[in-house]
Amino acid sequence: MIALLLGLGVAHAAPESVYLVLVDRFANGDPSNDADADIDDPSAFHGGDFAGLQANLDHIQGLGFTQVWLTPIAKMRTETIGGHGAFHGYWTEDGARLEPRFGTDAEWLRLQDAFKERGMGLVIDMVTNHVGPETPLTRTHPQWFHTRGDITDWSDPVQLVTHDVHGLPDLNQDLPEVQAHLIQEGRPWWSAAAALRLDAVRHISPDFVRTYRDAI
């Protein structure tokens, strides 16, 4: 996996240790937001949420971790595609809103406070390369996307940034309006994060990464 972490906080003297949480699969602390969760179906949501994570923060810190990297928590496409589940969160539907399966805005704020109380940092996963198939942006702004089909040559650096990754609608970050959109929908998350992970940096032009970094 290739990742880029953009640090937002003050540099620490000691190295950071990061614990990865796939939110839906970690811990179910509030069954009321489970919707159609089904723990017997590997492709379905299993009910993990912010309440479950918060209840386990002391355990994570006790293992020696100083930061927690959350898989995407923005509102996502939740329907399966060809038998593949959406629980991972990388099929973004609205990058500026919280996924309701994971909790409310109030619960998200409480989780942030719980991290601060423990001196721990949040690493937030920002999906800046693509959106989920058949999500609103593909209909309202079809001109914002590359339309060159899937990557067929994974050694071609041009295809890597201008073609779709396994059918995911690929945003054209060379367009100023796309840059402005991604920066604007990213802003609500920045203040909560100790660092950001950009997905998927291998498929994003370095120019946009610099633009995003400078906006932060």
Side-chain angles (χ1 to χ4, degrees), residues 75-126:
K75 185 171 174 54
M76 62 192 73
R77 175 191 167 123
T78 57
E79 297 83 6
T80 59
I81 300 175
H84 298 286
F87 56 84
H88 46 75
Y90 289 96
W91 298 343
T92 304
E93 180 175 295
D94 186 341
R97 295 174 58 196
L98 198 64
E99 172 52 48
R101 291 174 181 267
F102 297 155
T104 63
D105 290 339
E107 288 173 316
W108 170 231
L109 290 174
R110 286 198 292 271
L111 180 62
Q112 293 176 51
D113 288 341
F115 271 86
K116 291 174 184 175
E117 289 166 4
R118 292 164 176 78
M120 300 175 73
L122 272 165
V123 179
I124 297 181
D125 209 322
M126 308 296 301

Side-chain angles (χ1 to χ4, degrees), residues 5-9 67 121-126 190 192-197:
L5 293 181
L6 299 179
L8 304 184
Q67 299 198 20
L122 272 165
V123 179
I124 297 181
D125 209 322
M126 308 296 301
W190 296 350
L196 304 174
R197 176 186 179 267

